[in-house]
Amino acid sequence: MNPDYSSLYTSCTQCPRLCKIDRNSDTGFCRETSDLRIAFAGLHFGEEPLITVKGGSGTIFFTGCTLRCAFCQNYQISQDGFGRAVTKEEFARICLKLQDAGAENINLVTGSHHIPKIAEGIIEAKKEGVTIPFCWNSSAYENTESLELLKGLVSIWLPDLKTLNPQMSSKLFAAHNYPDVACKAIKWMIDNNPVKIVQKDDKEKMLSGVIIRHLFMPGRFEDTAQVLEWLKDNADPAACISLMNQYTPVPFAEEKEELEKRKQALSVIENRLVNEQEDQDIQDLIDAFNFNYLFYQELSDDTSWLPDFTKKQPFSNKLAKPVWHCSFVE
């Protein structure tokens, strides 16, 4: 018998905001009610090699978010509400579509505000025949009590560790307590999910474990050095590290007032692409720490990967293959 998590949306304390809104009748800080909403699902070929492998990662992008990242590339769905409600049965069908399309895993993107409903959906999907691993792709701004609902359902964890600087997180994410919360959540993920990597043909494939992502912010080298030091002390070699350098200014299509708020928040970083000197400095830093398992992107000035979720194909054809879209239901 499936558990009933509906009561967890009453006086909601699912995420660290603890906003205590009755999401059965109103929206919480996440801007979402108790309806589970999805914008897009498809095979994604731009994730880490352990996740993408050959068939691509079967990504599902949820509407809403517990953070207010001023630079968010997915702002259309995370902040502006693009997406539509699905039942646990439809969620299961989307997972099956991804599996049938050849997905290596089901990659659940930004679902921290809907853990109970997603847990129900995973149970339903497994019952209906989904056998590939589930991957939790999040900001790590999560209560460990909520993450407990995913124990035994999710085996791969893909959290961010955005910053350890509370002043920076307060400005950029509207979350002063982000560093403490994220570190606690990531430690929980590592403690409960040992790394298991197998060989698939000529590629490595993760079946369980944690890959911790950190995005370098232009002009904030010391912040990245602080994060890498924490990861070396607390995550290596029990987890894999993914250091990203593709920070890209987003051409937000929003009202003037919203754009001004973003501009103020972004004032704590240099809102531009990473330059070659910064890239070299980061590589030198990586060499100094000598992580057991680390991914690092090649520097590029290509911004064509920025998504537009209003389109059936939000990404480039090279980066993703659509399987489901909220505006184009079969």
Side-chain angles (χ1 to χ4, degrees), residues 229-256:
E229 183 176 6
W230 188 91
L231 291 173
K232 186 64 179 179
D233 292 341
N234 295 277
D236 184 61
C240 305
I241 311 302
S242 180
L243 185 53
M244 304 180 292
N245 65 6
Q246 91 282 22
Y247 178 89
T248 304
V250 177
F252 294 101
E254 293 183 315
E255 298 295 329
K256 184 177 180 180

Side-chain angles (χ1 to χ4, degrees), residues 90-300:
E90 186 169 10
F91 173 85
R93 288 195 294 272
I94 293 170
C95 293
L96 282 168
K97 280 178 175 286
L98 290 168
Q99 179 172 272
D100 291 345
E104 305 283 352
N105 44 68
I106 305 296
N107 188 337
L108 307 167
V109 184
T110 316
S112 306
H113 53 296
H114 264 310
I115 289 177
K117 286 286 181 74
I118 293 172
E120 288 182 329
I122 295 174
I123 291 170
E124 182 70 17
K126 287 176 178 284
K127 187 175 73 175
E128 292 300 319
V130 175
T131 57
I132 56 178
F134 281 84
C135 171
W136 190 253
N137 186 336
S138 77
S139 68
Y141 191 60
E142 296 159 321
N143 295 326
T144 55
E145 295 82 2
S146 293
L147 294 177
E148 287 282 342
L149 299 179
L150 297 171
K151 189 183 287 187
L153 300 177
V154 170
S155 57
I156 302 170
W157 300 77
L158 197 57
D160 293 336
L161 184 53
K162 296 177 182 290
T163 184
L164 294 177
N165 183 334
Q167 287 74 37
M168 190 170 166
S169 67
S170 180
K171 194 81 170 177
L172 280 176
F173 320 138
H176 186 270
N177 63 342
Y178 174 85
D180 289 340
V181 169
C183 288
K184 183 179 179 181
I186 287 170
K187 286 181 178 179
W188 180 94
M189 294 173 190
I190 293 172
D191 289 344
N192 288 281
N193 300 275
V195 171
K196 182 178 180 181
I197 297 172
V198 298
Q199 202 75 19
K200 181 181 180 182
D201 299 326
D202 59 340
K203 293 181 180 293
E204 290 184 313
K205 176 176 179 174
M206 178 173 275
L207 296 182
S208 70
V210 183
I211 302 175
I212 306 164
R213 289 173 163 176
H214 172 69
L215 175 65
F216 171 73
M217 300 290 179
R220 304 294 305 211
F221 180 81
E222 291 183 2
D223 286 280
T224 287
Q226 185 182 21
V227 167
L228 289 181
E229 183 176 6
W230 188 91
L231 291 173
K232 186 64 179 179
D233 292 341
N234 295 277
D236 184 61
C240 305
I241 311 302
S242 180
L243 185 53
M244 304 180 292
N245 65 6
Q246 91 282 22
Y247 178 89
T248 304
V250 177
F252 294 101
E254 293 183 315
E255 298 295 329
K256 184 177 180 180
E257 184 178 347
E258 277 299 312
L259 292 175
E260 185 57 34
K261 288 180 182 177
R262 291 189 186 277
K263 182 179 178 181
Q264 290 297 319
L266 289 168
S267 65
V268 297
I269 62 172
E270 296 176 20
N271 190 27
R272 56 168 173 79
L273 297 175
V274 174
N275 61 42
E276 291 184 3
Q277 183 59 59
E278 287 172 321
D279 180 60
Q280 185 57 59
D281 290 343
I282 295 170
Q283 292 189 49
D284 291 343
L285 188 63
I286 291 170
D287 291 341
F289 278 113
N290 191 30
F291 284 96
N292 184 66
Y293 209 129
L294 181 141
F295 301 102
Y296 183 63
Q297 295 173 316
E298 292 184 6
L299 187 66
S300 173

